[in-house]
């Protein structure tokens, strides 16, 4: 992996991890997500899972040179990424205050 790809990936993982730690420890969420997130600490754990997954995939892309081993090593990172995104999506409540009108 070239440095022009690696540096932004690592910075992205660190920023997401910092936001996840803030959500888990302090209950703080970024301002543009505050109106959607209903379970802040669970959302933070999802962010931490995503950060670890991005870091996992970046490290295995750098360290392992065999393409077959690299692809098998990336599978747990991909699974963790999907799991983290699902946790983040589940922690968000329904948007808006819809009222049921009773019509189909």
């Amino acid at each position: 992996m070239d440095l022009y790809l690696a540096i932004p990936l690592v910075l992205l993982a660190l920023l997401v991890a910092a936001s996840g730690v803030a959500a888990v420890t302090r209950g703080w969420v970024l301002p543009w997500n505050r109106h959607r997130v209903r379970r802040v600490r669970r959302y933070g754990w999802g962010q931490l899972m995503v950060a670890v997954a991005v870091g996992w995939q970046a490290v295995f892309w750098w360290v392992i040179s065999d393409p077959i081993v690299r692809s098998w090593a990336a599978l747990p990172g991909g699974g963790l990424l999907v799991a983290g995104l699902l946790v983040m999506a589940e922690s968000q409540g329904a948007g808006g205050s819809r009222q049921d009108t009773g019509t189909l």
Side-chain angles (χ1 to χ4, degrees):
M1 178 181 284
D2 296 327
L3 282 179
Y4 67 89
L5 293 175
I7 291 172
L9 262 178
V10 170
L11 289 176
L12 176 72
L14 289 174
L15 287 174
V16 172
S19 179
V21 167
V24 170
T25 58
R26 301 285 183 198
W28 185 84
V29 179
L30 292 169
W32 50 82
N33 285 340
R34 287 185 186 151
H35 67 282
R36 289 184 296 201
V37 175
R38 300 291 183 243
R39 297 172 194 93
V40 175
R41 293 202 182 347
R42 189 174 299 167
Y43 186 80
W45 283 112
Q47 284 182 318
L48 287 173
M49 290 169 68
V50 168
V52 168
V54 170
W56 175 280
Q57 289 182 342
V59 165
F60 276 101
W61 189 262
W62 285 331
V63 173
I64 298 175
S65 61
D66 184 24
I68 295 173
V69 175
R70 183 186 298 170
S71 64
W72 281 102
L75 283 176
L80 190 61
L81 180 67
V82 169
L85 290 173
L86 288 175
V87 169
M88 288 173 63
E90 188 272 330
S91 66
Q92 296 179 3
S97 58
R98 274 191 228 169
Q99 295 178 354
D100 188 14
T101 59
T103 60
L104 297 176

